[in-house]
Amino acid sequence: MAVAHRKLLRSRQVGSLLFLLCISVGSAATIRYSVAEEMESGSFVANVAKDLGLEVGKLAARGARLVSEGNKLHFRLHRKTGDLFVKEKLDRESLCGKADPCVLHFEIVLAEPLQSFRVEVRVFDINDNAPVFLNKEPLLKIPESTPLGSRFPLQSAQDLDVGLNSLQNYTLSPNAYFHLHTRFRSHGPKYAELVLDKPLDREEQPEVNLTITAVDGGSPPKSGIAHISVEVLDVNDHVPQFSRLVYRAQVPENSANGSLVATVSATDLDEGSNKEITYSLAQNPEAVLQTFQIDSQTGEVRLRGPLDFEAIETYDIDIQATDGGGLSAHSKVLVEVVDVNDNPPEVTVSSVSSPLPEDSPLQTVVALFSIRDRDVRVGGKITCFLREDLPFAVKPTFRNSYSLVTDRGLDREEVSGYNITVVAMDTGPPSLFTETVIEVLISDINDNPPIFQEDSYILTVRENNSPAIFIGKVHAEDLDLGENAQVTYTLLPPQSGDLSVFAYISINSDNGKLYALRTMDYEAIQNFQFVVKATDGGFLSLSSQVTVRVVVLDDNDNRPMILYPLQNGTLPCNDLVPRSADAGYLVTKVVAVDGDSGQNSWLSYHLLKATDPGLFSVQQNGEIRTLRQISERDPMIQKLIVLVQDHGQPALSTTASLNILLVDGFSEPYLQFRDPSKNPTRVNPSTKYLVISLAVLSFLFLLSVTVIFVIHIYQKVKYREKFTVQEHFYDDCNFPNNLVQGGTSGSLSQPCPYEMCSATGTSNSEFRFLKRFMPNFPFPHGTGEAKTEAGSSLPPDSDRNRSRGSEDHGRVPDNCM
């Protein structure tokens, strides 16, 4: 039943740690939230605007901000939405140690009117720390004559978590000699004792090894282990006896290191070395070992480190007395730390309204602050007052919170600002106090217009500038203070009313920086001017104006243009160079022009890339010449890229691509005939093979065309033999008598005409087929009816023959399409 109840509590705790929000606004206007530790940065806590009953946007309008009582703020506020977020991951152990509950305090301060709300955020613990033994391999020396039931306290495991997540239980590895008994301290973690169940026999087993496990109550639980070695000692009849089971002492928290806390005493009835007793701080938490020390011979317990009542109020110290035979006894020293008034009051200023208008009414809130005294049991009541006689007063708002208000009228012409010293004092003893200075400035009314530093401005900008480039700045100063001195800059059109200036220039209204909105072109506009107006931020604003003239400077913005060779994307220009050309041979010349003038139009030519960089060179005038004699190994096609560059700042350039063909010879217009005796021709084996390959391919191509042509003619003849007789062929080829001059019977009076069709898109016009062309001549009168292919008669003027003849005459043969 208890286990089920504990699991239920754990599940509820885990669910609440994911996000637990409890808000309570009491009479002291305190808002309370709860979050779990280790929440990631940016985790949502609550909506402050909703909890305060404010509309969305009011927090931003009233300048809401967070003020922490300590030196560090662990949360951040989104003023637009009112959401409260975790600023950084929270570690409850580093924030509050073993204190539970762990509460963080801060204030939400609003302005216009000045108002503050106290916020408390409770940080719940999660199981993020496992129990740890400081000594992971303790050694126990136990005499073999130790009676059954004897108890041996073990060191406590340290667990930084609190509540159910802290140390809950110990377990012991199975063995035949001991069992484990868990005990509680009045102040401190649980500790375990070994209880002897079976007599020890050194001759039978001189050493017993045990494993103790400390388990916390988290879900899932975490654990830590230590390996205990029990050394069985020879017989020692008597164990040391302390004069008291518990020693009590009170020590002020301001005691110096080395101060005596208590003296313990133990006796042993044995004789010799077994009677010699040694004292030690055995099996104590780390906090005890760092704060106290004991004299091993006298038993005096003294301070080793500083005490702080606000951190730890009581200590539970285990004292061990061991005789020379290895027998030991244990006692306790309970140390109560006495609080003293050693902390002066701490003043935290939440908000200051500065500058303050000189016409502010009485009881205007100037600042909000709170006072805290860490000495909770001493110090008495805290009083707060002003050290000097000033037109201000301190007014309490709620517990330990105060406001600074105006008490008399203010005059900025007499005093422009105040350094107000607030004194917070406790009643001691001894009485401690803290002084905090709050600076408040007094603002005036708007009575000074902005004044420009110059009567007029002249700015320059180069053409082809980048859009939105900074070209200059105008500046005006206002002798007023605060918002009255905030100057806003605007552009005004010139007196001519030309609004096109706004398309060229923009001004930053906050700092007066001027920017060119578009790229300037010196050829289009050389200068223009406009007016800048400076206006202050007073209630009744004042302003002044200044004229700004912008001068455009010329720039190198035209690249060289290649006139020869043409670079228009068509077929590349090929220049022929004989392989017999000597060094210095003029190949061609690159001609280029630049649209700029002066130094920007001076052009230089450079060879940027070449198939063989050592074969050609580019002169300053653009001429391309050979550097050496051309050899047979040089590739036939030489590709050159020539860089043409002007002398502008920065320089602009363009490139020209050339193809140079190295040939063995060409016709008279290009090259003089070479004497074979002087330059004997050598046949390159690769050239010979190329010629043979071309010849074979040409032969195969002609053979294929011939075969196709023969097949086509054969099909035509076979088709005509099926639908036509030979006599009709000759009749169709004989023209009317009135068109025939001479001729004998049985022969053609005129040649039979044919249409010749060639393949389109070719330069050689290979013949595709031949088709007889039959003109549409009318039949002669008196010849009777015309004969058809089937032998039937048709009228001479038959529409069918007429239309068919015209169709045959005007139609393009299908195979010619």
Side-chain angles (χ1 to χ4, degrees):
M1 186 67 180
V3 174
H5 179 66
R6 177 175 295 178
K7 290 183 177 179
L8 179 60
L9 290 178
R10 289 176 181 171
S11 62
R12 290 180 177 177
Q13 182 186 26
V14 171
S16 63
L17 290 181
L18 294 177
F19 177 74
L20 177 60
L21 170 64
C22 58
I23 173 171
S24 173
V25 180
S27 59
T30 300
I31 308 174
R32 294 182 176 87
Y33 300 109
S34 297
V35 297
E37 68 166 327
E38 301 299 332
M39 290 182 67
E40 296 295 334
S41 175
S43 298
F44 175 77
V45 178
N47 187 282
V48 175
K50 180 178 179 181
D51 298 336
L52 295 178
L54 298 176
E55 298 179 358
V56 177
K58 282 294 186 179
L59 293 179
R62 296 182 62 181
R65 59 191 181 91
L66 304 183
V67 178
S68 175
E69 290 186 355
N71 297 327
K72 193 173 184 180
L73 190 62
H74 302 281
F75 303 91
R76 63 181 177 86
L77 178 64
H78 193 290
R79 292 191 291 185
K80 292 185 178 180
T81 62
D83 293 335
L84 185 66
F85 298 97
V86 177
K87 186 177 182 181
E88 60 183 13
K89 184 181 290 188
L90 300 177
D91 185 8
R92 194 206 65 81
E93 287 74 27
S94 62
L95 293 174
C96 301
K98 299 293 290 185
D100 191 28
C102 178
V103 180
L104 303 179
H105 302 272
F106 61 91
E107 292 186 11
I108 301 176
V109 180
L110 305 177
E112 296 180 2
L114 200 58
Q115 192 176 8
S116 68
F117 298 90
R118 183 180 292 269
V119 180
E120 294 180 358
V121 179
R122 180 176 179 180
V123 181
F124 279 92
D125 181 48
I126 64 173
N127 189 28
D128 57 344
N129 294 283
V132 177
F133 290 95
L134 298 181
N135 185 5
K136 296 185 179 298
E137 296 182 354
L139 174 64
L140 295 180
K141 296 181 179 181
I142 303 177
E144 61 180 338
S145 60
T146 302
L148 298 180
S150 299
R151 298 173 180 266
F152 303 92
L154 302 176
Q155 89 177 75
S156 299
Q158 306 297 313
D159 193 331
L160 299 180
D161 294 323
V162 296
L164 289 177
N165 295 326
S166 64
L167 177 64
Q168 297 295 323
N169 193 16
Y170 294 92
T171 59
L172 187 65
S173 60
N175 66 95
Y177 293 95
F178 299 94
H179 76 271
L180 203 63
H181 179 70
T182 303
R183 304 194 65 177
F184 297 86
R185 287 189 176 95
S186 58
H187 299 281
K190 299 176 182 179
Y191 68 98
E193 293 180 339
L194 286 179
V195 181
L196 185 62
D197 294 334
K198 179 181 177 182
L200 298 174
D201 188 349
R202 186 177 180 277
E203 286 71 25
E204 179 181 349
Q205 187 173 352
E207 185 177 3
V208 179
N209 294 318
L210 306 172
T211 300
I212 183 173
T213 304
V215 183
D216 62 19
S219 178
K222 296 181 181 292
S223 62
I225 62 173
H227 300 283
I228 304 173
S229 296
V230 179
E231 182 181 349
V232 181
L233 302 178
D234 208 355
V235 175
N236 187 13
D237 296 333
H238 297 88
V239 297
Q241 297 292 328
F242 279 96
S243 59
R244 299 181 188 175
L245 293 178
V246 178
Y247 296 84
R248 299 181 182 275
Q250 292 184 342
V251 183
E253 63 173 330
N254 60 352
S255 299
N257 289 347
S259 299
L260 179 63
V261 177
T263 301
V264 298
S265 176
T267 58
D268 195 310
L269 298 179
D270 292 325
E271 297 295 336
S273 61
N274 291 334
K275 188 177 183 179
E276 297 177 357
I277 298 176
T278 302
Y279 302 94
S280 62
L281 300 178
Q283 317 303 336
N284 283 279
E286 185 179 3
V288 173
L289 298 178
Q290 292 180 351
T291 308
F292 299 94
Q293 61 185 354
I294 189 171
D295 191 307
S296 61
Q297 301 299 322
T298 62
E300 293 180 348
V301 180
R302 295 182 179 273
L303 284 180
R304 183 180 182 181
L307 298 175
D308 188 359
F309 175 84
E310 288 72 29
I312 301 177
E313 298 183 8
T314 59
Y315 291 90
D316 192 343
I317 307 174
D318 288 329
I319 306 296
Q320 177 176 297
T322 306
D323 61 16
L327 297 180
S328 61
H330 295 267
S331 180
K332 292 183 179 295
V333 177
L334 296 180
V335 179
E336 181 182 353
V337 181
V338 180
D339 189 18
V340 297
N341 190 31
D342 59 344
N343 294 287
E346 298 177 359
V347 178
T348 301
V349 179
S350 302
S351 179
V352 177
S353 180
S354 178
L356 187 67
E358 59 179 333
D359 58 349
S360 299
L362 299 180
Q363 299 301 313
T364 298
V365 178
V366 179
L368 295 174
F369 60 93
S370 60
I371 301 176
R372 183 180 68 163
D373 196 331
R374 294 182 178 271
D375 300 318
V376 296
R377 298 186 181 179
V378 295
K381 184 179 179 181
I382 298 176
T383 58
C384 182
F385 57 90
L386 301 182
R387 181 172 294 279
E388 301 175 355
D389 184 18
L390 298 176
F392 301 94
V394 175
K395 180 180 179 181
T397 54
F398 46 90
R399 185 174 177 267
N400 294 333
S401 296
Y402 301 86
S403 61
L404 182 67
V405 298
T406 56
D407 188 44
R408 298 191 298 270
L410 304 176
D411 189 355
R412 198 199 70 86
E413 285 69 27
E414 293 183 2
V415 181
S416 60
Y418 295 90
N419 289 325
I420 307 170
T421 303
V422 178
V423 180
M425 180 181 296
D426 59 25
T427 57
S431 180
L432 302 178
F433 66 92
T434 300
E435 292 186 354
T436 303
V437 178
I438 300 176
E439 182 180 3
V440 178
L441 300 178
I442 308 301
S443 62
D444 69 339
I445 61 174
N446 186 29
D447 56 353
N448 293 285
I451 299 177
F452 284 96
Q453 293 180 341
E454 300 181 15
D455 295 336
S456 62
Y457 292 84
I458 298 178
L459 307 178
T460 59
V461 59
R462 285 195 172 274
E463 66 170 331
N464 302 320
N465 58 284
S466 300
I469 190 174
F470 172 74
I471 62 173
K473 178 181 179 180
V474 296
H475 181 69
E477 293 185 353
D478 196 308
L479 299 180
D480 293 324
L481 299 176
E483 293 183 356
N484 297 331
Q486 294 180 358
V487 180
T488 302
Y489 301 90
T490 54
L491 291 179
L492 298 179
Q495 295 180 356
S496 60
D498 184 11
L499 298 179
S500 62
V501 68
F502 295 113
Y504 290 91
I505 293 296
S506 175
I507 190 170
N508 189 313
S509 61
D510 296 328
N511 52 30
K513 291 184 177 181
L514 293 167
Y515 300 89
L517 293 179
R518 61 170 59 180
T519 300
M520 301 294 179
D521 187 0
Y522 178 82
E523 289 72 22
I525 183 172
Q526 288 77 37
N527 62 79
F528 58 91
Q529 67 180 22
F530 52 90
V531 177
V532 176
K533 180 181 179 181
T535 306
D536 60 24
F539 178 72
L540 298 176
S541 60
L542 302 177
S543 63
S544 59
Q545 300 179 1
V546 70
T547 300
V548 180
R549 183 168 178 263
V550 178
V551 178
V552 182
L553 303 179
D554 192 15
D555 200 359
N556 183 29
D557 57 348
N558 290 286
R559 294 181 179 274
M561 182 175 65
I562 305 299
L563 298 180
Y564 180 82
L566 296 177
Q567 304 291 313
N568 55 3
T570 59
L571 293 176
C573 179
N574 296 326
D575 291 289
L576 304 179
V577 177
R579 289 186 177 271
S580 61
D582 297 328
Y585 178 82
L586 176 62
V587 178
T588 185
K589 182 176 182 180
V590 178
V591 181
V593 295
D594 195 307
D596 295 322
S597 60
Q599 184 177 351
N600 295 333
S601 64
W602 298 350
L603 301 180
S604 60
Y605 301 83
H606 309 278
L607 182 59
L608 184 62
K609 188 176 181 182
T611 303
D612 187 353
L615 184 57
F616 299 98
S617 66
V618 179
Q619 307 298 319
Q620 288 297 324
N621 57 1
E623 293 181 351
I624 299 177
R625 295 181 178 271
T626 58
L627 288 174
R628 59 175 173 81
Q629 176 73 36
I630 299 175
S631 65
E632 294 295 335
R633 295 182 179 180
D634 293 327
M636 183 179 67
I637 300 177
Q638 298 285 333
K639 295 184 178 181
L640 304 182
I641 298 179
V642 178
L643 175 70
V644 183
Q645 187 176 25
D646 61 23
H647 287 72
Q649 293 296 330
L652 301 178
S653 63
T654 188
T655 58
S657 300
L658 299 90
N659 289 340
I660 298 177
L661 304 181
L662 304 182
V663 298
D664 291 330
F666 43 86
S667 59
E668 183 65 26
Y670 298 97
L671 181 65
Q672 304 258 336
F673 177 79
R674 292 184 296 170
D675 188 359
S677 62
K678 295 182 180 180
N679 295 312
T681 303
R682 292 178 294 177
V683 178
N684 194 337
S686 61
T687 305
K688 179 174 67 177
Y689 296 146
L690 179 61
V691 171
I692 294 173
S693 301
L694 292 176
V696 171
L697 292 175
S698 300
F699 173 75
L700 294 177
F701 174 75
L702 293 176
L703 180 61
S704 300
V705 171
T706 303
V707 171
I708 293 172
F709 179 76
V710 171
I711 293 173
H712 183 76
I713 294 299
Y714 174 76
Q715 291 177 349
K716 282 284 187 179
V717 171
K718 187 176 181 180
Y719 178 81
R720 288 178 179 175
E721 287 178 354
K722 183 177 180 180
F723 295 100
T724 256
V725 293
Q726 187 174 5
E727 291 80 1
H728 184 70
F729 172 79
Y730 290 107
D731 292 340
D732 289 342
C733 291
N734 286 325
F735 294 154
N737 294 331
N738 59 350
L739 298 178
V740 179
Q741 297 178 0
T744 60
S745 176
S747 62
L748 292 175
S749 60
Q750 288 285 346
C752 185
Y754 286 82
E755 287 181 344
M756 180 179 69
C757 299
S758 62
T760 61
T762 62
S763 59
N764 297 326
S765 299
E766 294 88 348
F767 289 108
R768 299 178 64 183
F769 62 87
L770 294 174
K771 183 178 180 182
R772 187 176 54 143
F773 175 73
M774 299 178 61
N776 186 19
F777 292 104
F779 289 97
H781 297 286
T783 59
E785 297 178 349
K787 297 290 185 176
T788 64
E789 293 181 357
S792 60
S793 298
L794 293 175
D797 298 331
S798 174
D799 294 338
R800 180 179 179 181
N801 289 335
R802 189 159 49 248
S803 62
R804 185 173 182 179
S806 62
E807 182 180 359
D808 292 338
H809 178 69
R811 183 177 59 191
V812 178
D814 294 338
N815 293 335
C816 291
M817 295 301 289

